[in-house]
Amino acid sequence: METRSNHILVGAITLLLLALVAAFLVWIVRFGDGATKEYDIFFAQSVGGLAQGTGVTFAGVPSGQVLKVELWEKDPDFVRVRIAVSEETPILQGTTATIQSISFTAPPNIQLDGAVKDAPPISELGPEGVPVIPTKPGALGEILNSAPLVIERLATLTDRLTLLLSDQNQESITGILRNTDNLTGSLAKSAPGLEALIAESEITIRNAGETAAKLSAVADNANALLDNNGQPLARDLGKTLQAAEQSMIALNTVLEDVRPGMQRLGTKTLPEVDQLVEDMQALTKSLTSVTERLDQGGAGSLISAPALPDYEPGK
């Protein structure tokens, strides 16, 4: 019974493969019956896996096949691939060709895409007598092209890791870990003191907050005082300054009026006063002399000459 089941499974798989081959042959026959156009593609990269008969797809839709794969005689750096696609395939300006691989085990094919809507078709003949479809690197091609750079960077990274993990650096890392362990132990031992310090800091911060609130209240009171009393005081001060200014103006006016009298006092009155004082001093001296004569000789001394002294011989 088990052997019969295996035979049925093998038969089913065989029929499925035959059906796929038949469908592929029908597609090839239908493709050969329709009109085709030939194009050249010049690849500046490896085209390993491409061969005559390799499929060509446009946006994933089977559209043709590879006719020829060869090195270009005019420039061996390029590989010329001649393809034939159905006439209905829109090979328009902007179309590019890439080598695509579904997996590493499946053979690659040529993928066409990127046609711009309403653009003219690619019709300009190339160096080999047919139009040329430009290329762009495919995913696999980009990986292969960037492989040397990736390998170089991996080598550099390996060298740096080797230097980083040298014996000397390992000893330094071990010392850092040991110091970190010691620091952790010291912090664990100092935990009670740190908790007390944190508690004191919290109290200090709370007190600072209360002080800040009080200062804010004082500032608010000061602002209120200035708002309530500051404006009247400023008005009174302005009035006082205005009155002082008016007083200064009046004083200047008085000084201007007094200045001529002061000038006359200095130039005329004072000299006359000085002369009067001198005359009074002379009169005082004369009166003093008269008074002395009255005291000494009486009233007659004022109208007669003074008596001469008696003459005595021998003296």
Side-chain angles (χ1 to χ4, degrees):
M1 189 69 178
E2 184 178 354
T3 303
R4 184 178 178 181
S5 299
N6 292 334
H7 289 169
I8 292 173
L9 180 61
V10 171
I13 293 174
T14 302
L15 291 176
L16 180 61
L17 291 177
L18 290 175
L20 292 175
V21 170
F24 179 73
L25 291 176
V26 170
W27 176 76
I28 291 294
V29 170
R30 289 184 62 188
F31 173 76
D33 293 341
T36 60
K37 291 184 179 180
E38 294 185 357
Y39 296 89
D40 278 340
I41 304 172
F42 294 91
F43 290 100
Q45 64 184 62
S46 174
V47 295
L50 291 183
Q52 185 177 358
T54 298
V56 177
T57 62
F58 187 92
V61 178
S63 302
Q65 63 179 348
V66 175
L67 300 180
K68 186 183 295 184
V69 179
E70 62 182 5
L71 290 174
W72 192 29
E73 295 180 355
K74 297 180 180 180
D75 190 350
D77 290 336
F78 292 91
V79 177
R80 184 174 70 89
V81 179
R82 175 70 59 88
I83 64 172
V85 298
S86 62
E87 192 172 15
E88 293 79 9
T89 303
I91 309 298
L92 306 178
Q93 295 290 338
T95 301
T96 57
T98 57
I99 300 175
Q100 296 287 346
S101 294
I102 300 176
S103 65
F104 288 100
T105 58
N109 62 0
I110 293 180
Q111 172 74 35
L112 303 178
D113 58 10
V116 179
K117 183 180 178 180
D118 298 331
I122 297 177
S123 58
E124 184 179 355
L125 300 180
E128 297 297 332
V130 297
V132 177
I133 299 176
T135 63
K136 72 174 182 179
L140 181 61
E142 291 179 355
I143 293 175
L144 294 176
N145 291 334
S146 62
L149 180 60
V150 173
I151 294 174
E152 180 181 356
R153 291 183 177 178
L154 287 175
T156 303
L157 178 61
T158 302
D159 294 338
R160 292 182 178 179
L161 287 175
T162 302
L163 293 175
L164 179 62
L165 298 178
S166 62
D167 295 338
Q168 183 178 0
N169 290 339
Q170 288 182 5
E171 292 178 358
S172 299
I173 293 173
T174 302
I176 292 172
L177 294 176
R178 188 182 303 111
N179 294 332
T180 303
D181 189 15
N182 294 334
L183 178 61
T184 304
S186 299
L187 290 176
K189 292 179 180 178
S190 303
L194 291 176
E195 292 179 355
L197 180 60
I198 292 172
E200 293 178 358
S201 299
E202 292 178 352
I203 295 173
T204 303
I205 293 172
R206 191 180 303 111
N207 294 333
E210 294 176 355
T211 303
K214 293 179 181 179
L215 290 175
S216 177
V218 171
D220 293 338
N221 294 332
N223 289 331
L225 179 61
L226 290 176
D227 292 337
N228 296 329
N229 300 327
Q231 294 180 356
L233 181 61
R235 287 196 295 270
D236 294 341
L237 181 60
K239 293 179 180 178
T240 303
L241 292 176
Q242 185 176 2
E245 183 178 2
Q246 293 177 355
S247 299
M248 291 297 295
I249 294 173
L251 180 60
N252 289 331
T253 303
V254 171
L255 291 176
E256 290 294 334
D257 295 338
V258 171
R259 183 174 290 110
M262 295 295 294
Q263 290 178 352
R264 287 194 300 272
L265 179 64
T267 56
K268 184 177 180 180
T269 304
L270 289 179
E272 293 177 353
V273 171
D274 289 341
Q275 184 64 39
L276 178 60
V277 170
E278 291 179 358
D279 294 341
M280 289 183 67
Q281 289 177 352
L283 177 59
T284 302
K285 289 180 180 180
S286 298
L287 291 175
T288 302
S289 177
V290 170
T291 303
E292 289 178 354
R293 291 177 65 186
L294 287 173
D295 289 337
Q296 292 177 2
S301 60
L302 294 176
I303 59 175
S304 62
L308 294 175
D310 295 334
Y311 176 75
E312 294 180 1
K315 290 186 182 181

